[in-house]
Amino acid sequence: MKKPARITSDLNTTSLIEVVAADTDIPVAQAREIVMATFDAITRAAAGGYNVSITNFVSFLPYRTKQRKARNPQNGEVITVPAHQVVRVRQSAKFVEMIRRRDRKATIRKAAKGSLSAAE
């Protein structure tokens, strides 16, 4: 496996695409299509009410809130907040542990069958 690109600053969509292109040795335009298609698929699934679980990384859990009464803090007026869909994001335990350790070589890839993983 090729050595991953070094990340030296905050990651936004553009820099994420550049890192993916460097890591996979594909053109930036192709990496952009892949990354954006991935984000689109996650968004469509969550908007449709489906859970999205990316092993060893994060889960997106959409749910519907009920209609409720709330108070406008500016004037104290009681308002009705309509029912709507929201999404919760839950990090995996492995992801949280990698962040705690500040593991700059972290990966969410599963170890190949029969090989020892770094955690063992």
Side-chain angles (χ1 to χ4, degrees):
M1 188 170 118
K2 180 180 162 185
K3 185 177 178 181
R6 185 172 169 91
I7 299 170
T8 57
S9 64
D10 292 349
L11 211 57
N12 59 26
T13 305
T14 302
S15 55
L16 172 64
I17 290 166
E18 291 167 356
V19 169
V20 169
D23 284 356
T24 57
D25 199 27
I26 61 175
V28 172
Q30 187 178 359
R32 177 179 309 284
E33 288 302 313
I34 293 167
V35 169
M36 297 312 289
T38 301
F39 290 163
D40 288 347
I42 291 168
T43 302
R44 286 194 315 270
Y50 299 102
N51 292 343
V52 178
S53 297
I54 303 170
T55 305
N56 296 328
F57 186 56
V58 69
S59 295
F60 299 93
L61 310 166
Y63 67 98
R64 295 239 0 125
T65 63
K66 295 179 181 176
Q67 179 177 311
R68 63 186 173 87
K69 300 280 187 202
R71 189 169 302 277
N72 181 336
Q74 293 179 337
N75 59 20
E77 179 184 337
V78 175
I79 58 173
T80 300
V81 178
H84 59 279
Q85 186 161 307
V86 295
V87 67
R88 288 188 179 149
V89 179
R90 183 173 54 201
Q91 303 89 356
S92 78
K94 182 176 179 181
F95 177 72
V96 170
E97 183 58 29
M98 289 184 291
I99 302 305
R100 277 194 193 117
R101 289 192 327 253
R102 296 183 57 104
D103 183 357
R104 293 181 184 252
K105 296 180 181 176
T107 180
I108 66 168
R109 296 173 194 242
K110 292 182 178 180
K113 288 189 178 199
S115 68
L116 296 176
S117 69
E120 294 178 348

